[in-house]
Amino acid sequence: MTEPAPVPDALLSALRARLGAAQVLTEPAALAPHLVETRGLYRGTASAVVRPADTAEVAFTVGACAASGVPIVAQGGNTGLVGGGVPRGGIVLSLARLSGIRALDPVGATLTVEAGAILAEVQAAAAAAGFLFPLSLASEGSCTIGGNLATNAGGTAVLAYGNARDLVLGLEVVLADGRIWNGLKGLRKNNAGYDLKHLFVGSEGTLGIITAATLKLFPKPLSRAVGFVGLASPRAALALFARMRRAAGPSLTAFEVMPRFGLDLVLAHRPGARSPLAEPHDTYALVEFSSLQPEAGMEAALAASLAAALADGTAQDATIGASEAQNAALWALREDLSEAQRREGGSIKHDVSVPLARLADFLEEATAACLAAMPGLRPCAFGHFGDGNIHFNLSQPVDMDRDAFLAEWGRFNAIVHDIVVRLDGSIAAEHGIGLIKRDALQHYGDPVGLDLMRRLKAALDPADLLNPGKVLPGEAAAQAPGLP
Amino acid sequence: MTEPAPVPDALLSALRARLGAAQVLTEPAALAPHLVETRGLYRGTASAVVRPADTAEVAFTVGACAASGVPIVAQGGNTGLVGGGVPRGGIVLSLARLSGIRALDPVGATLTVEAGAILAEVQAAAAAAGFLFPLSLASEGSCTIGGNLATNAGGTAVLAYGNARDLVLGLEVVLADGRIWNGLKGLRKNNAGYDLKHLFVGSEGTLGIITAATLKLFPKPLSRAVGFVGLASPRAALALFARMRRAAGPSLTAFEVMPRFGLDLVLAHRPGARSPLAEPHDTYALVEFSSLQPEAGMEAALAASLAAALADGTAQDATIGASEAQNAALWALREDLSEAQRREGGSIKHDVSVPLARLADFLEEATAACLAAMPGLRPCAFGHFGDGNIHFNLSQPVDMDRDAFLAEWGRFNAIVHDIVVRLDGSIAAEHGIGLIKRDALQHYGDPVGLDLMRRLKAALDPADLLNPGKVLPGEAAAQAPGLP
């Protein structure tokens, strides 16, 4: 990879003068954590990490970089899984210091926060006022709401509350030329021209830098029931889901699925973990019903639904948590899966979605195709089944070298993504495109849709300075590292 | 208004050759219904109404017009309330013949329909499969889903299900150059690049022409309770709403408010209408709780909430429908209000929203300001209170000439919109901008946001041929008629 031109000293001096010298980091040790992504798949380069304190300083920084032609990648918690936050020259703009809670409106049920606020702190601010901010995902202790919005994060609450995009009413965004768009409206209905917020949500920092957001809050559920269900197949899980959705509607707040291999990994790698069911099953579903009422009979409702599913053979076995501690223990079996899989060795990962009606077809076809391509491979397809979103992960054969296995990443991507696209699915369900799927998007994407995306990029960032080469290949594309 | 250049005969011939002569209408009588908008506030001009049969014919029509530099306005049911469908030269592209239901997926709970399908038929197709398509508004018997999406329609189900934008998973769109973007995905999670569908939803036909959509379906509620509540003020209605939302969450499926004057109009103009409450009240709320269970105790839950509100003085009186017939009769009091207001004489209308916390402030301030400007004026502020969306309508003084009153439209707009904007609201909540609020959007809109909108328009429709002069002033802006 050719190094981009270094950042001019005059720019760094101007940034130090405005932000303070301590907020413009150039020491290698200070830069290091900002140059890598979570899984270590990419290593980037940057001349500086710049830490503005507020929106005006973000605008100043972006404007100064624009004037010097210096590219910028915005970073929040740097927890993304697609390489979207990896710098490729230029500067890293850290939103870490924009972490304030600006306002909570209990009447409008809205929360206005700055982009660098940690998701868990946003959840806590909502909870302290008696509300729920439902976005929830594995990295919530370190990811930031700005990154969640920039990537349209998904997670475990999408079934009932939608993706991050659906949880935002208004945005404040610094544009590529350093201007500030003030779209921080807290309105439930607003048709005053084009909806600009949806343009920035999910654009992965390539069209603008989100500096603050007004979020929707919800009444806090006061009771829940959690079930863990043994099933004969993913197809049976689909039948169970359809039954649960019809019975519970918005009370069905989670429907997660994992395979027997996934549960086995958690049981093997987490000390003290126990299977909640007596016998092993091909497929497991974690089902949650929630209610705003403290005594809403959620356990009885879930038990009745599961009893019917057991009676007609849809489900093979099931248990319901008898306490909040047991509910949490059931959830932990699902939540610990990624970490257990990491301990098991190398994984080639796919974050994909298909229409629900094709979910079982997808799992059967993709599993067979991958096993045919590499006998001994251990598929671990799990995730947000009710959203049609599967983390189709492949654990390495037991006796294979990790790096040799990971070198097959591209080959398995092609196998899995071909099937996803044939089934009208998406190769990027909740993690985004970033760098890791950029070329795949070019390959699989609708050509007219790709042309529209290029036009939007050119309209909003004509100099290609905001996170260049992510999502879409830009002028710097030829210099981008390929897949690992 | 200067007439735009006539449409070339060669273009009309080409369209007749492809679509059939019967589908290219040029007779004045055939054109007439397409040249006016619902309230008769604008009258447009067009050389032809073109009625393509399918997406390919839409694409051909748009491509041919683009090649000739002829502007196009798309029309569905032509029920819009902001003049967005009024042609200003060029051709009217009617989507009426693209009215098919393409597919219903009961597993994925999606419905794929063509743009010209009547909203009521879309609702019926969902209901026939045991689902709910929740979008519901006064014109549902004649408006089309394409128009609903192009304007991001609101209506009475937004509180529980969101705006039209929130009900769409995928779109098929014909672009300004005649290409077709196939974004008809039925996925609950899809982060494969920028979200293009949200760009077209609410763009009022100025960025592309929606030809089909994949919609979300929901489990059909099987029971409901409807209450009609007498309140001392809008502020009391706000307190009641906060209580209901916290108690019922997603079961609260409607919270509509109307003033005493509004109920009086319905009682005066609809034969047989009766007030459900013994005494008159300053403000009335219509509250609906719904459940997926046939015997869910919605009446008991609503009764308990209302009893608490009566006990502490939040509400003054309340009744609950004892049957579905009574529920429908309570709803009719709200639904008949627009027609009753029409019968009462001229109305100057505002479709605005403010943050819920400022709703009572807005109503008090705007009412006082309008009465100060014209004693004898009869404000009738009603609507989707739970969404912060008020139809702040002003009925003419009893003894005033209708046309003389309507001539004051712009003066009252300025009074009301100034207050809305000061309270961080929107001058266009659910009806859009169209022609009627275009100049107001320029006046009140965030300048950076307006610049972004212009860039998007230039990127997607550089020749300004798709519904020119709507939402944004275009090249033809100088020729646009002003407010009525």
Side-chain angles (χ1 to χ4, degrees), chain B residues 5-55:
Chain B
V7 171
D9 287 341
L11 172 61
L12 294 178
S13 298
L15 293 174
R16 288 194 175 100
R18 173 70 187 261
L19 277 61
Q23 308 304 339
V24 181
L25 314 176
T26 53
E27 294 299 311
L31 295 186
H34 298 274
L35 305 182
V36 293
E37 56 82 64
T38 314
R39 296 200 292 253
L41 298 177
Y42 298 104
R43 173 167 296 278
T45 62
S47 296
V49 172
V50 180
R51 295 161 46 90
D54 56 27
T55 303

Side-chain angles (χ1 to χ4, degrees), chain A residues 171-222:
Chain A
L171 289 181
E172 177 188 87
V173 178
V174 171
L175 305 181
D177 56 11
R179 288 181 301 165
I180 300 166
W181 171 55
N182 179 6
L184 270 186
K185 295 274 191 191
L187 302 172
R188 305 282 165 167
K189 281 185 176 170
N190 183 8
N191 276 335
Y194 308 152
D195 193 307
L196 300 171
K197 69 176 181 293
H198 280 302
L199 191 62
F200 295 107
V201 175
S203 70
E204 303 187 28
T206 64
L207 299 181
I209 296 174
I210 296 169
T211 50
T214 297
L215 306 170
K216 292 183 194 171
L217 301 180
F218 296 81
K220 200 193 292 188
L222 295 179

Side-chain angles (χ1 to χ4, degrees), chain A residues 208-284:
Chain A
I209 296 174
I210 296 169
T211 50
T214 297
L215 306 170
K216 292 183 194 171
L217 301 180
F218 296 81
K220 200 193 292 188
L222 295 179
S223 63
R224 68 168 178 175
V226 177
F228 200 85
V229 189
L231 297 145
S233 65
R235 208 168 287 277
L238 193 57
L240 182 67
F241 171 71
R243 175 197 298 268
M244 295 285 168
R245 182 182 57 196
R246 201 167 280 264
S251 296
L252 176 63
T253 46
F255 194 96
E256 301 283 311
V257 164
M258 61 197 291
R260 176 174 173 174
F261 175 59
L263 181 62
D264 288 348
L265 285 183
V266 174
L267 299 178
H269 291 287
R270 184 155 60 80
R274 290 177 45 204
S275 173
L277 301 177
E279 303 291 330
H281 300 269
D282 178 88
T283 299
Y284 299 97

Side-chain angles (χ1 to χ4, degrees), chain B residues 429-478:
Chain B
E430 64 173 6
H431 297 163
I433 294 294
L435 210 44
I436 202 168
K437 292 183 179 174
R438 187 195 65 190
D439 297 340
L441 178 61
Q442 291 297 307
H443 176 70
Y444 292 110
D446 178 73
V448 176
L450 290 169
D451 179 60
L452 285 171
M453 292 183 205
R454 282 190 292 271
R455 288 180 186 223
L456 296 176
K457 174 70 171 175
L460 269 67
D461 180 22
D464 194 21
L465 294 178
L466 293 181
N467 211 3
K470 310 294 172 60
V471 183
L472 297 172
E475 296 173 354

